[in-house]
Amino acid sequence: MTHSEDTAKKSSAILVLLTMTLLSVFPLDVLLPSFPALAKHFRTTTADISLSISLFAVGISLSQLLIGPLSDVIGRKGLLLAGMAVSIVGATGCILTTEYVWFLFFRMLQAIGCGCFVLSQALVQDLFEGKERDRLRILMVTASGVFISVSPLLGSVLQQALDWPGSFFLFIALAVVVFLKACFVLEDQRPAVTSRQNIFHAYRRVCGNASFLGYWLIAAIAFTCHFSFIVVSPLIFMDQLRMSPYEFSLTLLLYGAAYIIGGIAARVLSNRITPNTQIIVGLSLIFFSGVVMLLLASRLGLSILTVLVPMIICTAGTTIARPIATSKAMDVFADNAGTSASAGNTLVFIFGGLTSALINLSGIDLQTTLALAFLLLSAVALGLNTLINRRPSCRSELARDGRQR
């Protein structure tokens, strides 16, 4: 294969991975503006429609726990194509059904298919190496944040143009693109050595490693700081600051811009400092954002400025720390990338969901609660990073990384 052919192939693979990143967040956030329309169509309440979001998250979690280890045995491409096909069938069923119970069924089916998106991290591990792999993970985290920030505004546009089925139509179109691109771009690579371990043994192997769990937990903490803000942002901006849904959507666009800034900073830092230092810088920024949010809240009170300024700092820290922590975790078991990705993503999802729920249910002022959570979580993550790197095996890996750089 010539250099130009190899570059073209990698560019196509990156396009597939970025579209998978979009589809992994798209079915959740883009549907939020359509809750009233869905409730009216299915003759139920918005609380019942909200249940579909919870079921979707459960479906993805259960699905990815199986898909990751299976991909280590039978390969990634077939499972990705099967998952995309199932998600398309599920989304189509959501559009065609007129009964709420069947809507929940097809929504769960769509979620089970979307579990294949966990393979994006395994594919990055398979197809790219070294700094190229780290840069791609930075790009994917940046893109994920931008997509999450844009999704509510896109959902509002789709609701006005095509009513509630609009988001499902767009999902199907994007899923078909990923399916076709994957057919031609990805090779049907099988593992060099087929593992005879069952799924439980595979998970016991990866989850028994302290470095693996530690780095994934650092990635989970970085993600949680961002995710907690997304979860409580409607309460802060629409309930407390009395913004309209459209104004709220535009505000999140500014938050998305912070992901771009953070992504650029992470890319520059990856070429200048060691991975361990990059993690420390990112987590320190998250800690600093908590300090800034507390100071602004005590002096100026609640406003768009006092929330967004520290969140921009926090987001930059998340974008710097999370990709490299993920890479360090995935490198521990490079031969079991599917299992590693599934275990890590499940940890990220559970930790982010539980923490954001606790913040949401807190009786304390949300702005103060967020700030305290950033301080506590970043301090825990910095401590974890210190403990991991005190282990002899990790010190030798860091020395090797320094020589390579």
Side-chain angles (χ1 to χ4, degrees), residues 242-311:
R242 303 297 180 187
M243 283 186 169
S244 68
Y246 181 71
E247 291 171 333
F248 169 61
S249 300
L250 291 179
T251 302
L252 283 190
L253 288 181
L254 295 175
Y255 179 65
Y259 260 94
I260 298 175
I261 296 170
I264 294 172
R267 188 179 179 90
V268 171
L269 290 174
S270 68
N271 294 321
R272 296 172 183 262
I273 59 179
T274 65
N276 181 54
T277 306
Q278 191 170 330
I279 291 174
I280 292 172
V281 169
L283 295 175
S284 298
L285 282 174
I286 295 174
F287 186 90
F288 180 62
S289 73
V291 174
V292 172
M293 185 175 283
L294 277 179
L295 288 174
L296 291 178
S298 62
R299 305 216 170 190
L300 301 177
L302 180 65
S303 68
I304 298 175
L305 185 67
T306 58
V307 174
L308 278 186
V309 168
M311 280 314 306

Side-chain angles (χ1 to χ4, degrees), residues 1-166:
M1 183 182 294
T2 64
H3 177 70
S4 59
E5 290 175 336
D6 183 57
T7 301
K9 183 179 178 180
K10 285 186 175 180
S11 298
S12 298
I14 291 172
L15 180 60
V16 170
L17 291 168
L18 288 177
T19 312
M20 288 172 65
T21 301
L22 169 59
L23 288 175
S24 67
V25 300
F26 185 87
L28 293 171
D29 299 316
V30 80
L31 202 61
L32 298 180
S34 297
F35 271 24
L38 281 164
K40 182 179 179 181
H41 178 79
F42 290 111
R43 301 178 298 280
T44 187
T45 65
T46 53
D48 286 337
I49 299 301
S50 180
L51 177 62
S52 71
I53 298 292
S54 300
L55 285 177
F56 193 92
V58 171
I60 284 184
S61 298
L62 295 177
S63 177
Q64 72 179 16
L65 283 173
L66 294 174
I67 288 175
L70 282 176
S71 73
D72 288 333
V73 178
I74 66 176
R76 323 278 187 218
K77 183 175 180 178
L79 282 172
L80 176 60
L81 295 178
M84 294 310 306
V86 170
S87 70
I88 291 170
V89 171
T92 303
C94 289
I95 294 172
L96 297 178
T97 187
T98 57
E99 298 294 330
Y100 172 67
V101 173
W102 280 106
F103 173 75
L104 288 183
F105 170 79
F106 285 116
R107 186 71 169 153
M108 178 66 85
L109 191 64
Q110 182 190 14
I112 290 171
C114 287
C116 69
F117 296 136
V118 72
L119 296 177
S120 61
Q121 289 293 348
L123 288 169
V124 171
Q125 196 73 21
D126 293 343
L127 302 175
F128 301 88
E129 296 179 354
K131 290 184 179 179
E132 192 176 31
R133 179 188 296 159
D134 293 342
R135 285 195 293 266
L136 180 53
R137 286 202 168 105
I138 291 170
L139 177 61
M140 290 170 65
V141 169
T142 303
S144 175
V146 173
F147 295 153
I148 289 172
S149 303
V150 172
S151 288
L153 181 60
L154 179 58
S156 298
V157 173
L158 290 170
Q159 174 62 36
Q160 291 179 359
L162 300 170
D163 204 4
W164 67 265

Side-chain angles (χ1 to χ4, degrees), residues 145-373:
V146 173
F147 295 153
I148 289 172
S149 303
V150 172
S151 288
L153 181 60
L154 179 58
S156 298
V157 173
L158 290 170
Q159 174 62 36
Q160 291 179 359
L162 300 170
D163 204 4
W164 67 265
S167 62
F168 290 97
F169 283 131
L170 184 54
F171 175 87
I172 292 169
L174 291 172
V176 169
V177 170
V178 171
F179 185 92
L180 294 176
K181 288 289 288 184
C183 282
F184 296 103
V185 171
L186 300 180
E187 296 179 4
D188 192 15
Q189 295 178 330
R190 299 299 176 99
V193 179
T194 302
S195 173
R196 294 173 181 246
Q197 296 183 117
N198 62 36
I199 291 175
F200 295 105
H201 287 155
Y203 277 121
R204 187 171 65 181
R205 177 176 177 245
V206 299
C207 292
N209 185 281
S211 294
F212 174 84
L213 287 178
Y215 280 123
W216 265 120
L217 190 54
I218 290 171
I221 287 173
F223 167 80
T224 297
C225 293
H226 140 78
F227 186 69
S228 297
F229 169 73
I230 290 295
V231 170
V232 303
S233 60
L235 301 177
I236 293 176
F237 290 117
M238 289 196 285
D239 290 354
Q240 297 180 4
L241 293 176
R242 303 297 180 187
M243 283 186 169
S244 68
Y246 181 71
E247 291 171 333
F248 169 61
S249 300
L250 291 179
T251 302
L252 283 190
L253 288 181
L254 295 175
Y255 179 65
Y259 260 94
I260 298 175
I261 296 170
I264 294 172
R267 188 179 179 90
V268 171
L269 290 174
S270 68
N271 294 321
R272 296 172 183 262
I273 59 179
T274 65
N276 181 54
T277 306
Q278 191 170 330
I279 291 174
I280 292 172
V281 169
L283 295 175
S284 298
L285 282 174
I286 295 174
F287 186 90
F288 180 62
S289 73
V291 174
V292 172
M293 185 175 283
L294 277 179
L295 288 174
L296 291 178
S298 62
R299 305 216 170 190
L300 301 177
L302 180 65
S303 68
I304 298 175
L305 185 67
T306 58
V307 174
L308 278 186
V309 168
M311 280 314 306
I312 287 173
I313 299 171
C314 176
T315 300
T318 297
T319 316
I320 291 169
R322 186 183 167 199
I324 195 64
T326 301
S327 283
K328 295 288 287 182
M330 292 292 293
D331 286 343
V332 176
F333 294 103
D335 57 330
N336 287 105
T339 304
S340 298
S342 291
N345 277 298
T346 300
L347 177 63
V348 167
F349 174 80
I350 291 174
F351 195 86
L354 289 177
T355 304
S356 60
L358 288 174
I359 292 173
N360 194 24
L361 294 173
S362 171
I364 310 173
D365 174 66
L366 285 176
Q367 189 178 14
T368 302
T369 306
L370 269 180
L372 293 174

